[in-house]
Amino acid sequence: TEQGRYAGVADTQDLMVQISEMQMRSARYANPLTQLPGNVPVNEHMDRLIENNVPFVACYVDIDHFKPYNDAYGYRRGNEIIQLLGSILTETCDERLDFVGHIGGDDFVLLMQSGDWHERCSLLLERFSAETLRHVDAEDLRRGGLRGEDRRGSPIFHPLPTLSIGSI
């Protein structure tokens, strides 16, 4: 449709082929851990916003102190934290206005058109802080961080994972 009127008619089979191609393309560029769009769809979406002069805020989202957590708890639990963050991002953003992408590891991108983007980012920080506590062992919670070793084998103390969001 265009401006509320029918713009044309399509054959059902052609429509199904188009839908299948879109699903395959989406799956090809999705991050396998979170199923969120990866680098290619993030870049394409950003390009469309810029080309159409659509105002948006780009946010880079990163888990601080993720490597020590991953080293201490293992990849499975590290992956759970990344999946948790992906869920928090998609639940907190407005799916009609905001785009959530997973560019790899513990790095995510938000392309936000929501007028209340700043409040949404504040909520993301709060939710991540609260919900990650369930993924930390009681002893580490009590200590307020993780014990580990530096590159020379000397004992080192790492803070618990937190979230950082940079926006422009």
Side-chain angles (χ1 to χ4, degrees), residues 5-24:
R5 297 179 157 206
Y6 286 111
V9 178
D11 180 86
T12 307
Q13 187 171 354
D14 291 339
L15 184 59
M16 294 305 291
V17 168
Q18 283 286 33
I19 290 171
S20 294
E21 287 175 9
M22 289 171 60
Q23 288 173 331
M24 287 189 321

Side-chain angles (χ1 to χ4, degrees), residues 6-166:
Y6 286 111
V9 178
D11 180 86
T12 307
Q13 187 171 354
D14 291 339
L15 184 59
M16 294 305 291
V17 168
Q18 283 286 33
I19 290 171
S20 294
E21 287 175 9
M22 289 171 60
Q23 288 173 331
M24 287 189 321
R25 187 178 190 301
S26 177
R28 183 178 321 129
Y29 294 116
N31 184 286
L33 183 59
T34 59
Q35 297 304 305
L36 290 171
N39 292 333
V40 171
V42 168
N43 289 333
E44 290 174 349
H45 190 79
M46 190 180 313
D47 288 345
R48 277 192 304 277
L49 292 171
I50 292 168
E51 287 170 11
N52 293 308
N53 293 316
V54 176
F56 69 98
V57 175
C59 299
Y60 178 80
V61 181
D62 180 63
I63 302 174
D64 302 316
H65 317 293
F66 177 73
K67 184 176 179 342
Y69 178 91
N70 206 40
D71 290 347
Y73 288 103
Y75 291 112
R76 184 183 59 76
R77 287 182 67 182
N79 286 346
E80 289 172 3
I81 290 287
I82 291 171
Q83 290 169 324
L84 171 68
L85 177 55
S87 295
I88 292 171
L89 294 173
T90 56
E91 291 165 9
T92 306
C93 291
D94 183 340
E95 67 182 33
R96 296 167 297 145
L97 298 172
D98 305 325
F99 183 92
V100 179
H102 184 177
I103 58 176
D106 63 321
D107 302 315
F108 293 79
V109 169
L110 308 175
L111 304 176
M112 302 185 78
Q113 297 177 65
S114 295
D116 62 347
W117 68 270
H118 192 271
E119 291 81 6
R120 289 178 188 273
C121 286
S122 294
L123 181 58
L124 288 170
L125 295 170
E126 291 172 21
R127 283 193 62 193
F128 185 80
S129 292
E131 294 185 32
T132 53
L133 295 179
R134 290 181 289 199
H135 294 267
V136 177
D137 292 348
E139 181 66 21
D140 292 331
L141 270 178
R142 186 186 61 69
R143 241 190 332 262
L146 309 166
R147 289 185 181 160
E149 293 181 350
D150 66 14
R151 294 171 199 245
R152 291 174 286 185
S154 301
I156 190 168
F157 184 78
H158 297 283
L160 296 174
T162 56
L163 194 64
S164 289
I165 303 174

